[in-house]
Amino acid sequence: MEKGKSQEFASEWIAAWNEHDVKKILAHYEDDFEMSSPAIIKLTGEPSGTLKGKAAVGGYWSGALQKFPDLRFQLLHVLRGANSVTLIYQGVLGLTAEVFHFASSGKVARAFAHYEL
């Protein structure tokens, strides 16, 4: 992914989260995208740690924003890959690396969150 596109995605994504605007956050994703995170297991009880689709993930994120009303992300690094970006940021669960794989549409098809142990 081009450096400018990576930075633009990172800035928009972080801003949407810091505004607590689920609609803006979801605008970055395909309708049927998959999100994997160990936090999904803790907050939803889904043993696979994966949710699929805007409705399921949007509900999960809305719940997280209610649980953490002071949620703010601080972007630390943007790493580029082939059709992917990794954002390293400080969040409510500590140091986080989130990997985004993009579809040909330019929207996220799969995302994977990683946290410090």
Side-chain angles (χ1 to χ4, degrees), residues 28-29 31-32 43 48 70 75 81 85 88 95 100 109 114 116:
H28 294 96
Y29 297 84
D31 288 340
D32 63 347
L43 294 175
S48 69
D70 296 328
L75 183 64
V85 170
I88 300 173
L95 185 63
F100 303 88
H114 302 79
E116 286 184 292

Side-chain angles (χ1 to χ4, degrees), residues 13 17 22 25-26 29 33-46 48-68 71 73 89 92-93 96 98 111-115:
W13 189 86
W17 272 102
V22 175
I25 298 165
L26 287 171
Y29 297 84
F33 81 101
E34 289 186 8
M35 175 71 206
S36 296
S37 168
I40 289 171
I41 298 168
K42 282 186 175 182
L43 294 175
T44 70
E46 170 54 50
S48 69
T50 300
L51 296 175
K52 184 170 182 160
K54 284 187 175 183
V57 181
Y60 160 68
W61 285 340
S62 292
L65 288 169
Q66 288 175 354
K67 183 174 175 131
F68 301 105
L71 180 140
F73 293 162
Y89 59 92
V92 294
L93 299 178
T96 305
E98 195 153 345
F112 307 87
H114 302 79
Y115 307 100

